[in-house]
Amino acid sequence: MDEEATKPEPEVSFEQSRLETRRAQWALNILVVFSAVAGSVFFFYVLYTIRPFGSKEPPPVDVPTSSVGPKFGMLAGTDEASGLGVVLRDIDEAPSYREQLSEVMRKDLGIERNGRMYLLIVRNDGEAPADVDAAQLTVRDGAEKGWEIQWLDQAASPASPTGKLRLTQSGRKFELAKGEERQLYVFIPSSGDSLPPSAEDLSGGSLKLTGGPDIPLSHTEIKAAQQ
């Protein structure tokens, strides 16, 4: 038998193996180069972003904020006998912001009628504790048109936790120790298509307490820095 004819031929020749090895080496070299380039790009991006050497100040960010004027108006009054002081003011002094905030609060409270939210502050500057049971709060605008304020237990039907919390905090029956004050939200519904005026546009009003005094309120203006 011819031994040369029966000897198995190698599956891969030496030359083919050498070419495959060179191709693998080239692919590895290209991968190393791309990795180095990507690392350099990331490094310079980080330097450009954090600017550790303070070469350039970042551009200012324009964040919209509520803008308060040099002064704002409200209704205020005091009962000299009991020492109770009353203030009715807007929920925010910035005209551009208070409208949006009022709408958000109205919806949170489940108030279906259009209108405006206000903040009522009652403070006891008398010598003795005071039991407050607010019965009626009326106001009038510059045209002497009257607006009757609704307490939240009359107007609100909240479904959200935030609305329920505001309703609880705005109860109109409470006790004030000497030097204490209570802040509660109240609501005035619109008259037809007319939205109630802001508190700074009200000219006067009165707060009637059950079994207590009728406290007159008058227009007052204060500087924003005096809050």
Side-chain angles (χ1 to χ4, degrees), residues 66-102:
S66 63
S67 177
V68 181
K71 62 181 180 179
F72 56 89
M74 62 182 67
L75 295 183
T78 302
D79 177 59
E80 298 295 339
S82 63
L84 288 177
V86 180
V87 170
L88 180 69
R89 59 190 295 179
D90 291 303
I91 54 177
D92 193 274
E93 278 67 50
S96 60
Y97 180 67
R98 71 168 68 112
E99 311 290 342
Q100 302 174 33
L101 180 57
S102 178

Side-chain angles (χ1 to χ4, degrees), residues 171-182:
R172 48 181 165 147
K173 296 181 181 181
F174 48 88
E175 182 178 341
L176 292 177
K178 178 182 177 181
E180 266 192 331
E181 74 173 30
R182 176 68 64 93

Side-chain angles (χ1 to χ4, degrees), residues 33-145:
V33 170
F34 276 122
S35 298
V37 171
S40 300
V41 170
F42 179 74
F43 175 74
F44 284 110
Y45 170 77
V46 172
L47 285 180
Y48 177 81
T49 303
I50 66 177
R51 305 182 185 277
F53 308 111
S55 58
K56 185 179 179 182
E57 291 293 331
V61 179
D62 185 17
V63 178
T65 57
S66 63
S67 177
V68 181
K71 62 181 180 179
F72 56 89
M74 62 182 67
L75 295 183
T78 302
D79 177 59
E80 298 295 339
S82 63
L84 288 177
V86 180
V87 170
L88 180 69
R89 59 190 295 179
D90 291 303
I91 54 177
D92 193 274
E93 278 67 50
S96 60
Y97 180 67
R98 71 168 68 112
E99 311 290 342
Q100 302 174 33
L101 180 57
S102 178
E103 278 299 290
V104 170
M105 292 178 61
R106 183 178 68 84
K107 292 176 180 179
D108 282 343
L109 287 163
I111 300 176
E112 296 183 357
R113 296 186 62 181
N114 292 329
R116 188 190 293 270
M117 303 295 302
Y118 300 82
L119 181 63
L120 178 67
I121 304 171
V122 182
R123 180 177 177 82
N124 181 17
D125 289 322
E127 295 298 324
D131 290 321
V132 178
D133 183 359
Q136 186 179 37
L137 178 59
T138 57
V139 295
R140 58 184 181 277
D141 57 25
E144 294 302 312
K145 178 181 178 179

Side-chain angles (χ1 to χ4, degrees), residues 203-214:
S203 61
S206 67
L207 172 63
K208 181 175 180 55
L209 303 179
T210 301
D214 188 352

Side-chain angles (χ1 to χ4, degrees), residues 26 142 149 155 163 202 209 218 224:
W26 272 106
I149 288 182
L202 296 174
L209 303 179
S218 58

